[in-house]
């Protein structure tokens, strides 16, 4: 389905400012919507969603590309825990 959203998951540490993370993902990763999908003591799982144009042909690995953009955006904003 061409109109189906492209979704990816991003985990952030439990103390993350969710409004800031959402704003960064929208501005820097191109997300249309960011929602909290799960919350555990280890972290918060965010669902990152992009709705493509209905007239555009979808190409492979769009979910992977969205995950990479989300990770880069969160890392650049220093919102990911260091290993």
């Amino acid at each position: 389905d061409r109109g189906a959203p492209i979704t990816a998951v991003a985990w952030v540490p439990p103390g993350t400012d969710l409004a800031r993370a959402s704003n960064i993902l929208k501005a820097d990763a191109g997300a249309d919507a960011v929602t909290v999908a799960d919350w555990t003591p280890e972290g918060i799982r965010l669902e990152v969603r992009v709705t493509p144009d209905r007239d555009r042909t979808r190409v492979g690995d769009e979910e992977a590309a969205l995950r990479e953009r989300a990770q880069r955006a969160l890392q650049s904003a220093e919102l990911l825990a260091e290993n």
Side-chain angles (χ1 to χ4, degrees), residues 14-64:
T16 298
D17 179 339
L18 296 177
R20 182 171 176 238
S22 178
N23 289 337
I24 287 166
L25 289 168
K26 288 176 181 175
D28 297 346
D32 296 328
V34 178
T35 57
V36 174
D38 195 9
W39 194 311
T40 71
E42 291 79 29
I44 302 165
R45 181 169 54 106
L46 303 176
E47 182 176 277
V48 183
R49 180 176 297 202
V50 174
T51 304
D53 293 333
R54 293 186 62 76
D55 298 330
R56 186 177 69 80
T57 301
R58 289 193 57 178
V59 295
D61 295 333
E62 288 185 273
E63 288 84 2

